[in-house]
Amino acid sequence: MAVTGWLESLRTAEKTALLQDGRRKVHYLFPDGKEMAEEYDEKTGELLVRKWRVKSTLGALSQWQTEPIFMRKDTKMSFQWRIRNLPYPKDVYSVCVDQKERCITVRTTNKKYYKRFSIPDLDRYQLPLDDALLSFAHANCTLIISYQKPKEVLVAESELQKELKKVKTAHSSDGDCKTQ
């Protein structure tokens, strides 16, 4: 579906909203009978949960299906990804490096979730992926995947921070931001 088509679907859907426990909860009822429920953090506007429900051919409502949310949140020492809304225990997940495709693969033994993603930072530095640097944890329905940054990346990021300190910073009252 094109972006404009999706936006139009959202506009034409019947919507109700509720503020509760620091979350903005929005329920959409689409003309075709599908339902979508979203929860946003009230302060940041960040999407926390998105669920879908459809009617069967006989008109009965199905169970809510939660959409996993995949995001990257790096730390100083590691590249980190979080996949929210994955309710299975830690031993169901398999997280490994695919050397041939230069990516990380996440899968569940129950075949309910599968994802492959690359680490563009390592591609830019032309560094190999190392299984020993990969780890993962699971808590609060969130799978947290960490890849420890190689020494070369840490040194390069440190040099970049030194370089950025030399750049003159414009303030909002300065008007146009000019590049140096």
Side-chain angles (χ1 to χ4, degrees):
M1 177 183 294
V3 173
T4 54
W6 174 243
L7 285 174
E8 193 54 37
S9 293
L10 291 175
R11 284 188 187 111
T12 58
E14 199 176 302
K15 297 173 277 302
T16 54
L18 167 71
L19 284 175
Q20 184 181 34
D21 301 327
R23 293 180 174 204
R24 180 177 180 81
K25 299 178 179 187
V26 184
H27 180 266
Y28 299 84
L29 180 58
F30 296 97
D32 62 2
K34 288 183 184 175
E35 291 180 71
M36 180 174 74
E38 297 178 325
E39 293 183 20
Y40 294 90
D41 184 287
E42 189 178 353
K43 292 179 182 165
T44 64
E46 182 180 351
L47 178 66
L48 301 173
V49 177
R50 179 178 288 141
K51 300 186 275 189
W52 288 90
R53 180 163 73 172
V54 295
K55 284 186 178 177
S56 69
T57 50
L58 297 175
L61 289 172
S62 66
Q63 294 288 335
W64 285 101
Q65 298 296 317
T66 305
E67 261 185 27
I69 299 172
F70 180 82
M71 68 181 70
R72 181 170 167 175
K73 291 204 173 197
D74 291 353
T75 66
K76 285 189 178 220
M77 301 305 290
S78 65
F79 302 115
Q80 197 172 83
W81 298 267
R82 293 171 181 256
I83 309 172
R84 289 204 304 244
N85 303 325
L86 290 178
Y88 317 110
K90 183 181 178 185
D91 61 341
V92 171
Y93 301 98
S94 165
V95 181
C96 58
V97 169
D98 183 340
Q99 296 289 352
K100 185 179 173 192
E101 297 292 325
R102 289 193 50 78
C103 67
I104 295 174
T105 304
V106 179
R107 61 171 54 100
T108 56
T109 54
N110 62 7
K111 300 191 185 322
K112 297 284 185 181
Y113 186 80
Y114 179 85
K115 178 136 185 98
R116 299 174 87 167
F117 59 93
S118 64
I119 307 176
D121 307 67
L122 295 182
D123 293 340
R124 282 191 286 272
Y125 291 111
Q126 299 176 349
L127 294 172
L129 277 77
D130 183 358
D131 267 314
L133 300 177
L134 183 65
S135 64
F136 71 97
H138 187 268
N140 301 322
C141 290
T142 302
L143 185 67
I144 303 165
I145 303 161
S146 299
Y147 188 93
Q148 189 177 344
K149 292 179 181 177
K151 278 185 254 172
E152 297 88 345
V153 172
L154 292 171
V155 168
E157 286 180 350
S158 173
E159 291 297 318
L160 176 63
Q161 289 304 316
K162 288 177 189 172
E163 197 63 33
L164 291 176
K165 286 180 181 175
K166 297 176 189 174
V167 176
K168 183 181 178 221
T169 304
H171 298 283
S172 59
S173 60
D174 290 347
D176 293 339
C177 179
K178 295 179 173 62
T179 56
Q180 293 182 340

